[in-house]
Amino acid sequence: MQALPTFPCGKEGIEALLPHRDPFLWVSRILECEPGVSVVAELDVDPDLLLFQGHFPGYPVLPGVIIMEALAQCASIAVLQSPELRGCIGFLAGIDAAKFRRQVAPGETVTLRATIVKSSRRLVVAEVEASV
């Protein structure tokens, strides 16, 4: 098992915590993390992502569902550091009261923030926010 990363960290540290891999790893770096409590990370929105060919031709926008997935991955980073959860796979089970106030364009960097509100082996609830 890989050693836990120290923060800040990049892709290698993220891959030590998350089971996700390219092309579905939506966290570029972790800036800060208090295990089990909160995390601040970033996503660099690569202009060469294939999804921009279809979303939307001539007006590329990062899909909101990808932003939500990035936030879920971000929150997972905070909880997957505890020994009893290392190596677990979490699944996004719900989203409450999401609002998108701005579109995210190719080339931008999205800051991802998550605070763990409730955590057990079966369920994690987090308050999350994405901003450019």
Side-chain angles (χ1 to χ4, degrees):
M1 186 172 280
Q2 291 178 299
L4 288 175
T6 56
F7 306 106
C9 71
K11 188 172 184 175
E12 187 175 304
I14 295 163
E15 288 183 346
L17 294 167
L18 293 181
H20 305 77
R21 295 296 180 264
D22 286 331
F24 218 75
L25 181 59
W26 298 105
V27 178
S28 301
R29 73 192 64 76
I30 304 168
L31 303 177
E32 306 169 18
C33 184
E34 186 176 345
V37 178
S38 65
V39 62
V40 178
E42 289 181 331
L43 167 63
D44 296 325
V45 182
D46 184 351
D48 295 326
L49 288 171
L50 289 176
L51 63 87
F52 289 128
Q53 292 178 15
H55 198 268
F56 297 98
Y59 192 82
V61 176
L62 187 66
V65 295
I66 298 298
I67 297 168
M68 297 310 298
E69 175 64 23
L71 287 164
Q73 290 180 18
C74 179
S76 295
I77 288 166
V79 295
L80 290 176
Q81 294 177 72
S82 62
E84 65 273 8
L85 296 178
R86 295 269 332 264
C88 287
I89 296 176
F91 296 92
L92 180 59
I95 300 168
D96 295 329
K99 293 182 182 181
F100 299 95
R101 303 191 192 292
R102 170 189 191 286
Q103 296 165 354
V104 177
E108 293 186 312
T109 297
V110 180
T111 300
L112 309 165
R113 298 178 189 279
T115 301
I116 306 305
V117 175
K118 179 177 155 184
S119 181
S120 70
R121 185 156 176 79
R122 294 187 47 121
L123 178 70
V124 173
V125 177
E127 290 182 358
V128 297
E129 177 182 304
S131 60
V132 176

